[in-house]
Amino acid sequence: MSTPHQLSPIKQEPQVKQEPLSQPSVSLSYHAQPSIYQQQQPYANFSSTSTSSSTTGSLTSFQNLTSTANYNLPRHLMAMNMQHGAVSGASASTTNGTNSAAGSGAGTPVMASAHLSSNALSSAPPSPILNNSLQYHPNGANSQFGSNVNSNSNSGANSPYIQHQTYTQSPYQQQQQQHSYQHQNNGHPSDPSPSNYYSSSPPYGTHQQQQQQQQQQQGQHGSGNGSHVQFSSTAPSPMRQHQQSQYAPLVPPLSESQYAQYHQLLGSSAFSSTQSTPYHSNHTTPYSSMPGSPTREYQQLNEKQSAQKPKRRQVKNACVNCQKACKKCDEGRPCARCIKYGLTDTCVDSTRKVRKKGIKRGPYKRRPPPSQLGSASASTTPTMRNAVPGVVGYMSEPVTALNSPTQSHMLPFTSTAGAPLEFGYDTSGGPSGYSFHSQRVESSYTPPSYATSYSGSSVYAPSYSMS
DNA sequence: GACCTCGGACAGTCAAACAG
DNA sequence: TGTTTGACTGTCCGAGGTCT
């Protein structure tokens, strides 16, 4: 006998499943140190509608640009490398060849190419962001979090796979990158982090334009050497020239000793291996090594997530043998497992119970109106860990699910009404110098409780419920 | 090493609750 | 009426045990 499940029409499956490409590629270890192209995007860019508040973190660190007291050389160098690579190597990753300032958001493909084309980083593994960029939405739609891409209507038409095809990088991952970087910025308020070198998305044009620009600069100053970086204490390198040409006011100069240190690092392949690349190091970068540093927590989380597998696929109805053995089944009858064990005769669909009806439910928790979110954000300080009363270890455990590549692409931004969250850290708040704030930026957003957003499963909802 | 067992995490479904 | 919520139910991962 067929069960209701069996009778239900098979929902359309996307023809091309990008899961293996997109999900494992999001090696979040990179995200702990987002590219400068991501960093360039103030996290207000989460929303194409532009947001207005909660930018304390970036503003704070931006104001510290002029300070070089705690200047961090590796970061600067990485930024320079990547930027240089972007100039010289950014090419095919964008479909239209432009980097939309309005809609690019995090994870721009330009950055991805930059990362790979950078000499100093040449042996680093392919950036997951590059992989994402291969699927980059030509219209920049992947930066439009809650608008036209995902339509979560419970119809099943928007499977996670479809979303993957469209969203090259999940909104939450983008958000996390931004968010993560806010940690860093504010963890080191005096650090003129690359993200703050630029007040907004750089005016990059097409690859050709960039090349022309670079060639002009190199010819003008006569110190160009392909993609290699040459430093001079008196004559700025072409790379620096390039930077300065567009962002000069925002780029603090390197001292002689800093350049010497850079050469030393390059000579020792400091950036040439994944082990020693600051992007991967858990111990050498000041951004991640601070005890209790949010950045470190995120980095650890990211590392955990990078090892996570793609989302598990289930068959609608396992055969009785697989069901009994609690083993993976498939749609075929006999299924592969039954064939393997010679159980083809008994390989039939198991029956499913009929869902009970008429069960009374309690009132659903609804999200408070946006007008209350501002005060709600205050309640989230000083740390996100404390944001949810009664949840111990909330930051270090559930966030794993929160950041899960298998779920973050689905939640919490899958709703058409979903508005991006703004995250930021305020250096002025909190006992540890951090204060976390977040808020939705569109009034139309009717979110799930944070519980479902973070866990991706209502299983956790009761734990996070905030009455 | 292959297979079995099974607790529990995870995934998918869908009716109730809700908002406009 | 369309959307969201979250309970319900099934799937199957993965650890531990047993067998060959």
Side-chain angles (χ1 to χ4, degrees):
Chain A
M1 286 292 290
S2 295
T3 67
H5 281 282
Q6 291 169 313
L7 290 173
S8 63
I10 298 174
K11 290 175 180 174
Q12 181 181 1
E13 288 287 336
Q15 292 183 347
V16 179
K17 294 182 180 179
Q18 304 256 356
E19 183 178 28
L21 173 62
S22 57
Q23 286 186 346
S25 69
V26 183
S27 174
L28 295 176
S29 59
Y30 277 87
H31 296 172
Q33 190 92 334
S35 80
I36 60 171
Y37 284 91
Q38 293 155 7
Q39 294 160 9
Q40 290 162 17
Q41 313 293 337
Y43 51 81
N45 277 348
F46 284 144
S47 170
S48 61
T49 59
S50 179
T51 62
S52 57
S53 57
S54 301
T55 54
T56 314
S58 67
L59 290 177
T60 301
S61 47
F62 188 85
Q63 291 165 353
N64 290 317
L65 277 176
T66 53
S67 168
T68 56
N70 293 322
Y71 180 74
N72 184 274
L73 179 62
R75 169 175 282 190
H76 192 136
L77 299 178
M78 295 304 294
M80 295 179 72
N81 266 296
M82 295 170 70
Q83 184 177 7
H84 180 58
V87 171
S88 62
S91 57
S93 16
T94 54
T95 307
N96 57 6
T98 59
N99 187 7
S100 166
S104 58
T108 66
V110 172
M111 166 272 158
S113 279
H115 197 154
L116 290 179
S117 61
S118 169
N119 286 341
L121 295 168
S122 58
S123 65
S127 165
I129 301 171
L130 172 64
N131 289 339
N132 284 331
S133 73
L134 295 176
Q135 308 164 48
Y136 191 75
H137 196 290
N139 297 324
N142 61 344
S143 64
Q144 315 276 330
F145 281 174
S147 55
N148 57 343
V149 177
N150 285 323
S151 172
N152 183 15
S153 60
N154 276 346
S155 66
N158 289 284
S159 78
Y161 301 105
I162 291 177
Q163 293 172 19
H164 264 298
Q165 292 170 28
T166 311
Y167 272 138
T168 61
Q169 189 179 22
S170 78
Y172 197 84
Q173 288 160 356
Q174 298 176 21
Q175 166 188 313
Q176 189 191 12
Q177 291 171 2
Q178 306 268 2
H179 183 191
S180 170
Y181 204 76
Q182 291 303 319
H183 282 290
Q184 297 170 0
N185 285 345
N186 294 282
H188 302 269
S190 59
D191 175 25
S193 54
S195 69
N196 299 317
Y197 295 167
Y198 321 110
S199 58
S200 63
S201 195
Y204 283 124
T206 65
H207 176 48
Q208 288 180 337
Q209 289 171 333
Q210 292 164 10
Q211 282 187 323
Q212 286 178 353
Q213 198 169 16
Q214 189 181 18
Q215 287 170 358
Q216 286 177 354
Q217 287 160 358
Q218 289 178 352
Q220 198 172 359
H221 301 283
S223 58
N225 183 19
S227 60
H228 256 294
V229 181
Q230 292 186 348
F231 291 111
S232 167
S233 59
T234 53
S237 73
M239 183 170 74
R240 295 179 70 204
Q241 290 290 329
H242 179 82
Q243 288 180 322
Q244 290 172 352
S245 68
Q246 296 184 34
Y247 313 112
L250 297 174
V251 179
L254 289 179
S255 67
E256 289 242 14
S257 60
Q258 286 167 339
Y259 281 117
Q261 189 180 350
Y262 175 61
H263 279 293
Q264 194 173 4
L265 287 170
L266 288 180
S268 61
S269 301
F271 294 113
S272 62
S273 77
T274 56
Q275 295 303 318
S276 57
T277 299
Y279 278 52
H280 296 271
S281 172
N282 221 3
H283 310 291
T284 58
T285 63
Y287 309 102
S288 62
S289 60
M290 287 177 57
S293 160
T295 301
R296 191 182 186 187
E297 285 186 73
Y298 269 80
Q299 202 161 19
Q300 290 171 345
L301 284 170
N302 291 340
E303 286 173 358
K304 282 174 67 178
Q305 290 159 9
S306 66
Q308 285 188 344
K309 303 170 200 167
K311 184 177 180 177
R312 191 176 86 192
R313 293 280 318 211
Q314 296 181 181
V315 296
K316 289 191 180 301
N317 198 193
C319 74
V320 292
N321 295 322
C322 293
Q323 187 186 50
K324 182 180 178 181
C326 294
K327 294 298 178 185
K328 185 171 178 60
C329 193
D330 58 46
E331 303 288 353
R333 292 292 175 271
C335 68
R337 184 176 176 277
C338 288
I339 293 173
K340 179 181 178 181
Y341 295 106
L343 304 171
T344 56
D345 293 343
T346 56
C347 183
V348 295
D349 285 344
S350 59
T351 57
R352 296 177 69 111
K353 291 181 184 175
V354 177
R355 190 186 182 96
K356 288 177 281 189
K357 291 186 180 180
I359 298 175
K360 197 69 178 177
R361 299 187 182 185
Y364 289 164
K365 294 187 289 288
R366 307 298 288 191
R367 189 170 183 272
S371 60
Q372 298 178 16
L373 285 176
S375 57
S377 69
S379 69
T380 63
T381 60
T383 66
M384 202 170 171
R385 185 196 306 278
N386 299 328
V388 183
V391 180
V392 178
Y394 152 79
M395 181 66 119
S396 58
E397 293 174 5
V399 173
T400 298
L402 154 74
N403 295 329
S404 168
T406 67
Q407 304 208 12
S408 60
H409 65 284
M410 301 170 61
L411 294 167
F413 301 107
T414 54
S415 168
T416 52
L421 267 175
E422 283 191 344
F423 289 94
Y425 274 82
D426 188 340
T427 54
S428 63
S432 62
Y434 303 96
S435 72
F436 183 82
H437 55 83
S438 66
Q439 69 178 84
R440 305 281 174 186
V441 294
E442 282 184 356
S443 60
S444 62
Y445 181 69
T446 305
S449 62
Y450 274 8
T452 54
S453 297
Y454 284 135
S455 68
S457 169
S458 58
V459 169
Y460 302 103
S463 302
Y464 301 156
S465 103
M466 299 179 71
S467 71

